[in-house]
Amino acid sequence: MIIDCNMLALNTPEDILPYPATKSGLLDEDKGYIKYGYPSSSYPILNMPYILEDYDGNNIPPGHYMIVLSPDRKTLYFVESNKIKASVPVAKLVEKTVNEYEEREKIKEREKLEKKYKNNKRRKPLDQTERKKQADMEASINDSNPEYYVLKYRNGNIQATGYILK
C-alpha cells in the first residue's frame, strides 16, 4: 500500500479516522468536584485569622473558608476546597420573609427591559442580579468574648449565628 504524504497533510484527523476524534483529558462537566461541589458564588468567604481547636485536639488553621448553611439550617460548615473542615451548630437563626409585592415589581421591571431591548440586545444593560446577590452575603468571626468566638453568617434574607468555644 502506497500512502501519499501530500494527501495526508491536507486531511484533518476527522477525515482520516472512521469515528469522530475528541480532545483528550477530562471535560469540566466530568469532574466530580464541579458537578457536586458548592458553587463558590453562592456562599460568603470568611478570612479567618484564628486557630480553632476542638476537644480532641483537632485544629483548623487560619485561612479562607466558605461558610455554608446546611439545608436543615441547624449547622454552619467551614468548607475549604469543597471539603467540609468543621461544623458549628447554629444558635440563632433569623429568616426575613420576602415581600411578594417587591418580587412582582422586580419581575415586571425585568420583563419591561426585555421588551424594550428586544430588537437591539447590544444596548441592553448588563444583568446585575448576581452581583447584587454576592454583595448581599457576609461571614465574619470575632473574639470579643473571652470564652467563645462568634461566627456570623448572612446570605440574602437569612442570618445565622454560631458560637465556638475557645
Side-chain angles (χ1 to χ4, degrees):
M1 176 184 220
I2 300 173
I3 299 176
D4 185 9
C5 294
N6 294 332
M7 191 66 173
L8 285 178
L10 297 175
N11 292 337
T12 60
E14 289 84 13
D15 295 335
I16 298 170
L17 299 173
Y19 49 88
T22 58
K23 293 181 182 179
S24 63
L26 287 174
L27 300 174
D28 285 341
E29 57 265 10
D30 294 338
K31 296 177 184 175
Y33 68 89
I34 291 175
K35 212 180 243 186
Y36 302 109
Y38 295 108
S40 61
S41 63
S42 299
Y43 300 101
I45 304 294
L46 172 69
N47 182 11
M48 188 181 63
Y50 310 112
I51 298 174
L52 302 179
E53 286 191 23
D54 64 358
Y55 293 117
D56 297 333
N58 302 324
N59 64 5
I60 299 174
H64 299 280
Y65 296 93
M66 258 193 306
I67 304 299
V68 178
L69 184 64
S70 67
D72 62 356
R73 293 188 166 103
K74 293 182 180 180
T75 310
L76 289 168
Y77 295 120
F78 282 78
V79 177
E80 182 182 44
S81 300
N82 286 333
K83 293 180 183 172
I84 297 175
K85 296 294 183 178
S87 63
V88 177
V90 172
K92 180 182 174 185
L93 180 72
V94 177
E95 190 168 357
K96 297 177 185 173
T97 58
V98 179
N99 189 349
E100 289 182 35
Y101 176 74
E102 290 177 4
E103 286 297 317
R104 275 190 247 124
E105 289 298 317
K106 286 179 187 177
I107 292 170
K108 284 181 185 177
E109 189 68 31
R110 211 174 308 136
E111 289 173 352
K112 186 178 175 182
L113 276 175
E114 287 291 330
K115 191 175 182 181
K116 182 177 180 181
Y117 295 105
K118 183 178 179 181
N119 296 331
N120 195 353
K121 298 215 183 253
R122 291 185 308 156
R123 291 195 177 264
K124 180 182 172 189
L126 295 175
D127 189 18
Q128 299 291 325
T129 54
E130 193 63 34
R131 279 188 164 179
K132 290 177 184 175
K133 200 185 288 184
Q134 287 180 354
D136 197 27
M137 61 177 127
E138 174 186 22
S140 64
I141 188 168
N142 64 33
D143 66 343
S144 58
N145 193 308
E147 297 176 11
Y148 51 84
Y149 296 103
V150 179
L151 176 65
K152 293 186 179 184
Y153 167 89
R154 182 176 57 85
N155 194 350
N157 59 345
I158 298 173
Q159 295 179 354
T161 305
Y163 298 100
I164 306 166
L165 291 175
K166 290 185 179 181

